[in-house]
Amino acid sequence: VYSSRSDYILTDRAHLDAITPTMKFVDSLQLGKQAVHIIDREADSVLHYRKWDSQKRKFLIRADETRRVLHDGKSKVLSEIVTERTEAFKFNKKVEFKGKLADQYITHTTVILNRPARQHRKKNGVESWRNVPGKAIKLRLVISQLRNEAGEILAQWLLFTNLAESVSAQTIAL
């Protein structure tokens, strides 16, 4: 793998495993503030959340609504939490969505990922999965919905982050 991060050819890794060295490189740039690594849903990985959190790396990752977490002491799928929090959504602001204005609504809560991670590997065309136990990790779940004038949901994002409570849910959602 050729990269502007290195004068040398890098080892080929599983795409999720390549994120950690990239995070390390960004952190080494000493940009004056701690980096927040914003990654799409493909990085929704308990194994990696645990690793990055233990390394004190800050992240914001779009979550899969089928992920199971602990919420209020009960095991729930994220889509259940969205439904339960319907009344907790608060209007944030008007935003542009596909060339039109939409209303952004936000809610947030705390969840715990306590299940074993599922590590996926593919070697010589053969896929394998294994459970990897680990300590429970507490994350913030920020849910952002864009709604039209009729209140219909146009888009929804479920965001996991380990950012401090001092960073508002509104800032995270935007």
Side-chain angles (χ1 to χ4, degrees), residues 48-95:
H48 292 86
Y49 291 146
R50 287 179 176 139
K51 181 176 189 173
W52 300 330
D53 192 61
S54 73
Q55 294 171 342
K56 307 290 187 227
R57 301 195 194 287
K58 299 301 178 190
F59 55 81
L60 171 63
I61 299 173
R62 188 164 65 106
D64 184 340
E65 66 180 20
T66 62
R67 172 161 302 287
R68 187 165 288 281
V69 298
L70 267 183
H71 181 252
D72 292 337
K74 295 179 183 164
S75 177
K76 300 175 187 175
V77 176
L78 290 180
S79 59
E80 292 176 79
I81 297 171
V82 173
T83 301
E84 288 175 1
R85 296 199 56 80
T86 299
E87 299 300 318
F89 279 92
K90 303 281 187 240
F91 174 79
N92 184 44
K93 64 189 279 185
K94 295 257 185 208
V95 297

Side-chain angles (χ1 to χ4, degrees), residues 16-163:
L16 279 178
D17 294 338
I19 295 172
T20 302
T22 303
M23 288 175 161
K24 185 177 179 182
F25 173 77
V26 169
D27 292 344
S28 76
L29 296 175
Q30 299 179 357
L31 300 172
K33 294 189 178 192
Q34 184 171 22
V36 177
H37 303 277
I38 302 172
I39 310 171
D40 203 12
R41 190 169 73 188
E42 194 169 355
D44 183 8
S45 162
V46 175
L47 184 71
H48 292 86
Y49 291 146
R50 287 179 176 139
K51 181 176 189 173
W52 300 330
D53 192 61
S54 73
Q55 294 171 342
K56 307 290 187 227
R57 301 195 194 287
K58 299 301 178 190
F59 55 81
L60 171 63
I61 299 173
R62 188 164 65 106
D64 184 340
E65 66 180 20
T66 62
R67 172 161 302 287
R68 187 165 288 281
V69 298
L70 267 183
H71 181 252
D72 292 337
K74 295 179 183 164
S75 177
K76 300 175 187 175
V77 176
L78 290 180
S79 59
E80 292 176 79
I81 297 171
V82 173
T83 301
E84 288 175 1
R85 296 199 56 80
T86 299
E87 299 300 318
F89 279 92
K90 303 281 187 240
F91 174 79
N92 184 44
K93 64 189 279 185
K94 295 257 185 208
V95 297
E96 186 177 330
F97 179 69
K98 295 186 178 181
K100 296 181 180 179
L101 284 181
D103 295 331
Q104 182 187 45
Y105 284 81
I106 299 170
T107 188
H108 60 101
T109 189
T110 301
V111 297
I112 297 172
L113 302 180
N114 66 334
R115 299 166 67 94
R118 292 278 292 158
Q119 187 178 43
H120 173 247
R121 292 291 179 246
K122 189 174 187 177
K123 188 174 182 177
N124 301 325
V126 177
E127 292 187 82
S128 66
W129 296 86
R130 74 178 181 107
N131 286 338
V132 181
K135 72 172 193 148
I137 180 172
K138 186 163 117 177
L139 296 175
R140 292 173 64 193
L141 172 64
V142 176
I143 306 164
S144 173
Q145 292 180 344
L146 300 186
R147 301 178 188 171
N148 63 17
E149 290 178 3
E152 298 167 322
I153 298 171
L154 304 171
Q156 175 174 273
W157 294 273
L158 285 69
L159 307 168
F160 280 146
T161 188
N162 63 348
L163 289 168

